[in-house]
Amino acid sequence: DSFIWRDFYHIQCAISDEKAVQFLMEKDGITFSAMPMCKEEELSHYFYEMVEYFNTVLKKPFRIYLADEDGVNYLKLDPEKVKEQEDLKDYLYDAAAMRSLAGKKLHKKKNHLNAFLREYEGRYEYRTLCCSDRDDVWEFLDRWWENKVEAAEFGTQLDYEVNGIHDILKNCSQLCVRMAGVYIDGKLEAFTIGSYNEFEKMAVIHIEKANPEINGLYQFINREFLVRAFPEEMMLVNREDDVGMEGLRRAKMSYNPIDFARKYSIEQKDFKG
C-alpha cells in the first residue's frame, strides 16, 4: 500500500537503529506519520522518537493517520488524542466462506457466480499474471477508467491508484505480490493483486478490477483468486477499506464481513510551537 500510494501521500521513510521503519507523509498541506514498523515491545520508544522529530526538527505538532487498533491500545494513549477514521477501516472476511460462497447470506453471490460460469462456459480462462502481462493490464485499465462512475468525485485519487498499479507491474518481480486475471474470448476482462500475511494467515486484496457489464465476473475472480493463489490454511481475507465511496461500501458489506481492522488518527494537542 505504501508503494502504491507513495506519490499521493508524498511518502518518505527512514530506518531507526536498524530496528524500525519510520514514515513521513503529506496531504493537503498537512504533515503526518504512520505507526512505526517495529517489534511491539519497542513501539513506545520509536513512537516518541517520532514525536520528538516532529516537535524539534519539523516544528510541527505530531500526527499519525491510519494507526492500527493494536498499536493504539498498546501505547495507552489519551483518548482525547485518538479518533477513529471510520471510512478507512479494512473489511475482514472468513476465508472459507469467501472460497465457497456457501450459506444464505452469500446466496446472491453464488447465483451471480453460477450465471457467469453458465454464460461464458468454454470462453473464459483464469491465468496467473506476471510482469510480461503488463500490456494487457494497462489496456484493460484504460477501458475500465473510461467507464468508472466514481471518476468525477474521486478522479484524482483514482488516477494515483492507476499509476500505482502501473508501478507494481513495472516492478512486480521485486514485490511480494500475487496477481491473476480472467480472459474472455482471449481478452483480459478482470485482474486482481494481493499479498499474503503468513503471521495472521490472511490474504490482503490490494486491487480488484473487472468489467462491470459482465455478470458474475467480480464474484468469479474474487473466489478463484483465493482458491488458487493462497494456501489452504488461510483463515482471513482483508479486502481493505472503502475510502468513503458509497458504491464500494455497499459492495464490501454485501460479502458479509465478520470484523473490521479499525484505523485511527492521533493528534498531539499540547504542542506549543
Side-chain angles (χ1 to χ4, degrees):
D1 284 341
S2 295
F3 182 77
I4 292 172
W5 296 101
R6 69 190 188 282
D7 291 333
F8 186 72
Y9 290 111
H10 308 286
I11 296 175
Q12 302 176 65
C13 62
I15 309 298
S16 293
D17 308 324
E18 301 297 324
K19 293 182 177 180
V21 181
Q22 300 278 25
F23 293 93
L24 193 64
M25 310 178 194
E26 186 271 328
K27 185 176 183 292
D28 299 329
I30 297 175
T31 303
F32 56 96
S33 186
M35 274 291 186
M37 292 179 62
C38 62
K39 292 182 178 179
E40 186 178 69
E41 61 267 25
E42 296 174 334
L43 179 60
S44 182
H45 171 78
Y46 290 109
F47 176 88
Y48 287 104
E49 178 184 74
M50 205 61 180
V51 173
E52 183 178 3
Y53 178 80
F54 266 67
N55 293 172
T56 61
V57 178
L58 301 180
K59 309 295 184 183
K60 295 177 181 287
F62 181 60
R63 291 185 176 91
I64 278 184
Y65 293 161
L66 300 177
D68 62 284
E69 190 167 15
D70 287 344
V72 169
N73 291 338
Y74 184 83
L75 290 168
K76 297 181 173 61
L77 299 171
D78 181 348
E80 292 187 359
K81 298 178 181 178
V82 180
K83 181 179 180 181
E84 183 175 354
Q85 296 179 276
E86 180 67 26
D87 288 343
L88 300 177
K89 63 181 181 294
D90 289 348
Y91 290 71
L92 303 179
Y93 305 86
D94 177 78
M98 293 289 278
R99 280 170 159 157
S100 66
L101 297 180
K104 185 177 180 180
K105 291 182 178 179
L106 295 173
H107 184 65
K108 288 184 178 180
K109 302 296 183 186
K110 191 67 170 287
N111 285 344
H112 285 302
L113 171 63
N114 289 335
F116 172 81
L117 295 174
R118 287 193 303 270
E119 183 173 352
Y120 293 93
E121 183 179 3
R123 297 172 56 193
Y124 68 84
E125 179 187 4
Y126 172 95
R127 295 186 200 169
T128 298
L129 299 180
C130 58
C131 297
S132 61
D133 297 306
R134 65 171 67 95
D135 289 341
D136 288 351
V137 178
W138 289 342
E139 189 274 334
F140 167 83
L141 280 172
D142 288 342
R143 288 186 284 121
W144 174 85
W145 175 248
E146 290 175 0
N147 298 307
K148 198 61 183 167
V149 296
E150 292 97 340
E153 183 179 358
F154 293 93
T156 300
Q157 191 164 334
L158 290 175
D159 276 338
Y160 279 99
E161 182 189 42
V162 169
N163 289 339
I165 295 169
H166 279 236
D167 288 337
I168 287 177
L169 292 163
K170 292 173 184 174
N171 299 278
C172 62
S173 61
Q174 302 177 60
L175 300 171
C176 296
V177 295
R178 305 171 189 205
M179 304 188 297
V182 178
Y183 288 77
I184 298 176
D185 298 331
K187 184 177 182 181
L188 184 68
E189 295 289 2
F191 81 98
T192 184
I193 300 173
S195 58
Y196 187 59
N197 179 340
E198 62 183 35
F199 301 105
E200 297 183 88
K201 296 183 179 179
M202 179 172 67
V204 184
I205 309 303
H206 305 295
I207 302 291
E208 186 181 81
K209 309 291 185 191
N211 183 340
E213 297 180 0
I214 300 177
N215 181 32
L217 181 54
Y218 267 110
Q219 287 76 24
F220 177 76
I221 193 169
N222 182 330
R223 188 200 67 169
E224 210 69 9
F225 189 46
L226 297 177
V227 169
R228 300 203 196 191
F230 296 94
E232 291 184 4
E233 62 267 23
M234 178 180 66
M235 302 294 291
L236 288 172
V237 179
N238 181 329
R239 295 184 60 79
E240 300 194 338
D241 59 88
D242 58 42
V243 296
M245 292 184 183
E246 185 57 36
L248 197 52
R249 177 173 298 150
R250 288 195 302 270
K252 290 180 184 290
M253 287 300 297
S254 71
Y255 273 98
N256 191 37
I258 60 171
D259 203 354
F260 300 95
R262 302 186 184 280
K263 311 290 182 61
Y264 298 85
S265 63
I266 302 169
E267 296 198 18
Q268 184 180 14
K269 305 292 186 181
D270 56 357
F271 177 68
K272 302 299 182 181

